[in-house]
Amino acid sequence: MRRTDIPATKSNLLRLKEHFGFVKAGHELLDQKREVLLEALVEVHREAGQLRHQLLAELTALYSVLHDALLAHGRDALEDEALAPTAAVRLAVRERTVMGVIVPLLEVEPGAEIGPAVAPGWGAAGVAELRQRVQRLLPFFVRLAEVEVSSQRLATELQKTQRKVNALEHIFIPQFRDTIHFIDASLEEKEREALFHMKRLKERRAGSAGGVS
């Protein structure tokens, strides 16, 4: 919107001021949305970091147990154990919104047992611990997947919102202000010119009336 595109009239001035009010209100709402998205994104990043740290600790302990089990029972025995039936699990997927952004809610729901905890015929404590540690990792991976997807979606929406805020702050709001100021100044100039012409007209009429008498 260039200021020269709009005729300098009072009706256009009133219309522009009304639209400018909507633009400023929209900018305020977008700025609030940006702040909420930023806070949510920071929180998700913080949780993702904590989850990675916990997951690393769990994996380190798992590898230690796996190493001991390999030494105690051998690779073939552990491969047989890996193929043994396990408890069924179900992943419940729901959604929630953060300032219009849809983010996932994932939850691991345990199911019914479909087989023994360890392979038939043997139940070494080390192998049982290994299975338990592997199963304990699942909630960490699920929650990490949830926060990673949430982080990506929040970051994408934050970028879009930031671009809109920047466009309003650096393009549209300055254009509106400049145009309103230009029309205001033009109308004031026209009003001064009109007053000047009226004053000159009165002076001429007064001079004509004086000459006739």
Side-chain angles (χ1 to χ4, degrees), residues 22 54 94 101 180 192:
F22 292 140
Q54 292 173 328
R94 297 188 298 274
V101 181
I180 289 172
R192 285 194 295 268

Side-chain angles (χ1 to χ4, degrees), residues 10-130:
K10 289 185 178 181
S11 60
N12 284 336
L13 180 61
L14 293 174
R15 180 173 57 83
L16 277 174
K17 287 183 176 180
E18 182 180 2
H19 289 176
F20 189 36
F22 292 140
V23 169
K24 289 191 293 185
H27 173 264
E28 183 176 350
L29 290 175
L30 283 173
D31 194 47
Q32 292 174 359
K33 178 180 180 179
R34 177 181 60 179
E35 292 299 322
V36 173
L37 288 173
L38 182 58
E39 290 177 4
L41 185 59
V42 169
E43 181 62 30
V44 167
H45 274 305
R46 182 182 298 114
E47 184 176 0
Q50 293 172 351
L51 284 170
R52 293 190 191 98
H53 180 74
Q54 292 173 328
L55 188 58
L56 179 60
E58 290 288 337
L59 286 172
T60 301
L62 172 64
Y63 288 137
S64 177
V65 174
L66 176 60
H67 179 265
D68 293 341
L70 281 170
L71 293 178
H73 305 289
R75 182 183 183 90
D76 292 340
L78 290 184
E79 289 179 350
D80 291 340
E81 166 62 14
L83 297 175
T86 59
V89 294
R90 177 176 175 272
L91 183 62
V93 181
R94 297 188 298 274
E95 294 177 340
R96 68 186 180 95
T97 60
V98 179
M99 296 301 290
V101 181
I102 298 176
V103 296
L105 285 174
L106 307 179
E107 184 179 359
V108 178
E109 298 179 348
E113 291 284 344
I114 61 173
V118 295
W122 57 291
V127 177
E129 182 184 358
L130 181 62

Side-chain angles (χ1 to χ4, degrees), residues 129-183:
E129 182 184 358
L130 181 62
R131 178 184 287 276
Q132 291 172 359
R133 285 187 177 276
V134 170
Q135 291 175 343
R136 198 160 62 213
L137 286 177
L138 183 58
F140 285 99
F141 281 114
V142 170
R143 180 58 183 162
L144 186 58
E146 178 184 316
V147 297
E148 290 288 358
V149 172
S150 299
S151 175
Q152 182 180 9
R153 293 181 180 179
L154 288 170
T156 299
E157 186 64 24
L158 179 60
Q159 290 176 348
K160 293 179 181 178
T161 304
Q162 184 65 59
R163 286 196 294 267
K164 292 177 182 178
V165 170
N166 289 342
L168 287 173
E169 288 181 351
H170 303 297
I171 299 175
F172 293 103
I173 289 178
Q175 284 182 346
F176 268 97
R177 284 177 176 161
D178 186 49
T179 304
I180 289 172
H181 176 74
F182 173 76
I183 294 178

